[in-house]
Structures are given as structure tokens and as C-alpha cells.
Amino acid sequence: PYSDELLFNWAYFIILSELSEQGRAALKEVAPGYERPVVYFKRAFESNPNGVMRAKTFTDIGARWLGRPEMAQAGLEYLGAGVEIHPNSAALQEMLGDFQLRKGEKARAEESYRKAFALDANAGKGASVDEYVARKLSSLPVKTN
């Protein structure tokens, strides 16, 4: 119950299982009282903050999911947990904005980009916060349905 890797993998498994009806049914069968993944991610971080729960783990996996539209909802939950655990990570905040934008949540994405810029103005690569946010908001396809 205190293994950071086991807790991380369980949370990750929940996120992926919930992508399909069959996965949700299987989860309810084997672990009917399971909690939201962020709970397990937080326990993993408390167990070993320098292990698998580093901010880079979240950005590495998030980067692989970002180009896959079917992973947008999973990415929101996953990166949202990452931001809760690492609230001072500009990279996580920015990637959360990317997933929010993918889901058509433009106002939330803009807020996330502004937080990322406030955490690290270098995210703008010399641009003002407004220029950075405008560039980010036009950089990814937005869900239209």
C-alpha cells in the first residue's frame, strides 16, 4: 500500500480502464470501491516524492497522449492530478491547458496558460503573457462538437 510505483500504476490503470465500457465494468467488478486516480497519485507522491511521481513523469506521458484525440479526457484527469501534486510546475500547467483546449475548454485553457506563464515567464520565449496565451490558444486543434 506504500509503493509509489504500485500506487502510480493503479491510478494509471484506472484512467485507461475508464476509457471503455468494458474497462469500467471490469473495474467495478474487481475494485467496486475504487477512488479517483488523483487519490492514488497523491499517496504515491507522499510515499516517494522523488520516485515515479516526478513532474517529468506526467509531462512525458502527457506528451504521448496529446496527439491522440481519444486520450483528451484521460489527459485532463491525468494532468489535473499532476498539477495538484506539482502546483509550481509551469510545464504541467501548460500541458493541462493543452488538454483543456483539446476538449474545447478555451477559457480554462487560457487560465492554465496564464498560470504557466506566471510560474515561468520563459514559457513565452520572450513574448508577453498576452502574446504567449494567444499563440497557445491558436496552436492546437480545438474540439468543435
Side-chain angles (χ1 to χ4, degrees), residues 53-73:
M53 294 307 298
R54 295 177 311 274
K56 185 165 176 20
T57 302
F58 286 91
T59 57
D60 286 351
I61 291 172
R64 290 193 300 256
W65 289 1
L66 193 55
R68 298 176 56 198
E70 73 276 11
M71 298 304 287
Q73 186 61 44

Side-chain angles (χ1 to χ4, degrees), residues 31 34 44 76 100 113:
Y34 73 91
L76 277 178
Q100 291 164 330
Y113 295 142

